[in-house]
Amino acid sequence: MQITILAIESSCDDTSAAVVRDGRVLSNCVANQEVHQLYGGVVPEVASRAHQANIIPVVDLALKKAGIDKKEITAVAFTRGPGLMGSLLVGTSFAKAFALALDIPLIEVNHMQAHVLAHFAEDPKPDFPFLCLTVSGGHTQIIRVRDFHDMEILGETLDDAAGEAFDKSGKLLGLGYPAGPLIDQYARQGQARFEFPEPAVSGLNFSFSGLKTAILYFLRDQMAKNPQFIEENLADICASIQHSIVTILLKKLRKAARQTDIREIAVAGGVSANSGLREALEVMGQKEGWHTYIPRFEYCTDNAAMIGVTAYYKYLRGEFCGQDVAPYVRGMH
Ligand code: KG4
Ligand code: ZN
């Protein structure tokens, strides 16, 4: 029998639905919420309302693109957490109602586990055990992945996520939200000639809030001397910010790889689109003898395909949940 899963992801500001059959992605649709650009960040209440408006059209589109009728679906999967409560509730409630109406099993999925298993949506897939650096607007983690179900967080951020570091720095420069892709673009034309102090965080954890403060003071001092400083040096400032963030990420990743003696290295999350990170990963990977893996961009950012792929491996183990399951805001359960 084929296992056909309808998956829903609504943990932050994107509403996504996907159909995954026997672990293969048949469709993956995302409704972005551009409204948050007006506010310079995700507004939880606005996100929740937009999910309510988007979820039915997105699910319909995912079914249509997959060429699937509702009756062919064997299970419904949804992101249980971590994420914004109001956003998670929309996907959770929808999935429960869908499962009840069709009398099919319900599968709850952890969003962070799903970012890691996005690497199994397509070839080439990493071999177990591998390390996964998950970097996005909400997360920064290094995870040791022993198999589909056995993962251990080796390090994570103590404050801001890597994507937030890009976005908040960009805000200081007067760039729009999200600033990550813009910093990446400007950085390509600049030189990383400004230095910011590296955070002193022991072990494999990260900290980005100090960098944000250092950039704030640096810009304030420079602007006092020359009010055109940002305008005249934008590309070099962006290159320097990007270089600092990438250096922080890769130093910890190298430390984790050496400590665990693992050379299968995967990167996931929206920040993995960053060209500076990709180049530096390639260089470091060659030096260290790594096999590196970055999924296609649509599987890096928040998407329901990764929820469906994760749910497929849970289905194989009979890991279903009841109608009484509640979302959670934090944690890797
Ligand atoms: O995974 P994602 O779409 O959503 C979550 O936050 O879960 O990641 C979005 C983050 C934003 O912070 C955005 O600025 C960052 O990824 N980002 C980038 C780039 N593309 C997206 N940061 C740096 N360079 C990029 N090219
Ligand atoms: Zn995410």
Side-chain angles (χ1 to χ4, degrees):
M1 191 193 82
Q2 287 182 317
I3 300 167
T4 308
I5 296 174
L6 170 67
I8 313 287
E9 151 65 35
S10 73
S11 64
C12 190
D13 60 337
D14 294 332
T15 320
S16 181
V19 177
V20 174
R21 175 167 278 169
D22 293 335
R24 246 178 11 96
V25 183
L26 299 188
S27 65
N28 181 40
C29 302
V30 184
N32 299 113
Q33 299 182 8
E34 288 178 358
V35 57
H36 302 284
Q37 290 174 2
L38 297 174
Y39 304 98
V42 177
V43 183
E45 181 56 29
V46 174
S48 176
R49 283 172 194 271
H51 282 305
Q52 290 172 42
N54 290 340
I55 193 150
I56 292 174
V58 171
V59 168
D60 279 346
L61 188 64
L63 293 172
K64 201 169 149 203
K65 280 203 170 164
I68 291 269
D69 186 80
K70 283 190 188 75
K71 289 190 218 83
E72 294 176 68
I73 296 170
T74 358
V76 186
F78 64 98
T79 305
R80 185 177 171 197
L84 301 169
M85 184 47 83
S87 292
L88 290 165
L89 274 169
V90 178
T92 305
S93 311
F94 181 91
K96 284 183 186 178
F98 205 94
L100 202 60
L102 290 179
D103 194 22
I104 51 176
L106 195 55
I107 304 172
E108 54 97 0
V109 171
N110 177 280
H111 182 86
M112 300 311 299
Q113 186 186 6
H115 267 303
V116 173
L117 295 186
H119 287 92
F120 293 85
E122 282 181 338
D123 287 332
K125 301 169 176 126
D127 287 331
F128 296 117
F130 65 91
L131 294 182
C132 185
L133 172 71
T134 308
V135 272
S136 75
H139 346 285
T140 305
Q141 290 186 332
I142 298 178
I143 303 166
R144 187 211 305 248
V145 187
R146 293 197 180 86
D147 75 32
F148 296 109
H149 313 278
D150 187 358
M151 301 184 189
E152 180 192 353
I153 300 171
L154 300 180
E156 59 190 331
T157 184
L158 304 174
D159 39 59
D160 291 346
E164 256 180 307
F166 274 104
D167 296 341
K168 289 181 176 175
S169 309
K171 208 169 177 175
L172 298 174
L173 296 171
L175 302 178
Y177 173 86
L182 298 170
I183 293 184
D184 191 352
Q185 268 177 30
Y186 286 117
R188 281 175 217 194
Q189 294 135 38
Q191 295 290 325
R193 62 191 175 86
F194 305 117
E195 277 190 30
F196 305 110
E198 273 187 46
V201 186
S202 62
L204 295 172
N205 287 330
F206 300 93
S207 167
F208 288 102
S209 65
L211 178 66
K212 183 185 59 194
T213 314
I215 293 168
L216 174 72
Y217 290 153
F218 168 76
L219 292 176
R220 199 191 51 188
D221 294 348
Q222 297 297 328
M223 293 294 276
K225 287 186 248 166
N226 170 14
Q228 313 306 326
F229 180 76
I230 292 181
E231 222 175 294
E232 289 170 4
N233 298 281
L234 189 58
D236 288 352
I237 303 170
C238 287
S240 307
I241 292 171
Q242 178 166 300
H243 178 76
S244 297
I245 297 173
V246 168
T247 304
I248 294 170
L249 291 172
L250 287 188
K251 276 194 179 168
K252 292 285 169 143
L253 189 57
R254 183 175 59 196
K255 191 169 180 183
R258 286 181 179 172
Q259 264 179 23
T260 56
D261 201 18
I262 293 176
R263 290 187 188 82
E264 292 283 298
I265 307 291
V267 183
V271 178
S272 61
N274 185 266
S275 53
L277 178 62
R278 284 173 176 250
E279 277 163 30
L281 180 73
E282 175 114 14
V283 172
M284 186 174 281
Q286 276 179 3
K287 263 195 208 142
E288 299 287 311
W290 294 347
H291 291 136
T292 55
Y293 304 85
I294 303 181
R296 217 171 354 131
F297 189 59
E298 73 169 294
Y299 300 136
C300 274
T301 55
D302 287 351
N303 69 89
M306 67 183 192
I307 305 300
V309 169
T310 307
Y312 169 68
Y313 292 105
K314 293 187 89 165
Y315 188 104
L316 295 179
R317 294 187 3 150
E319 283 185 24
F320 305 119
C321 65
Q323 284 283 334
D324 56 347
V325 67
Y328 50 80
V329 171
R330 276 172 221 290
M332 177 128 183
H333 290 226

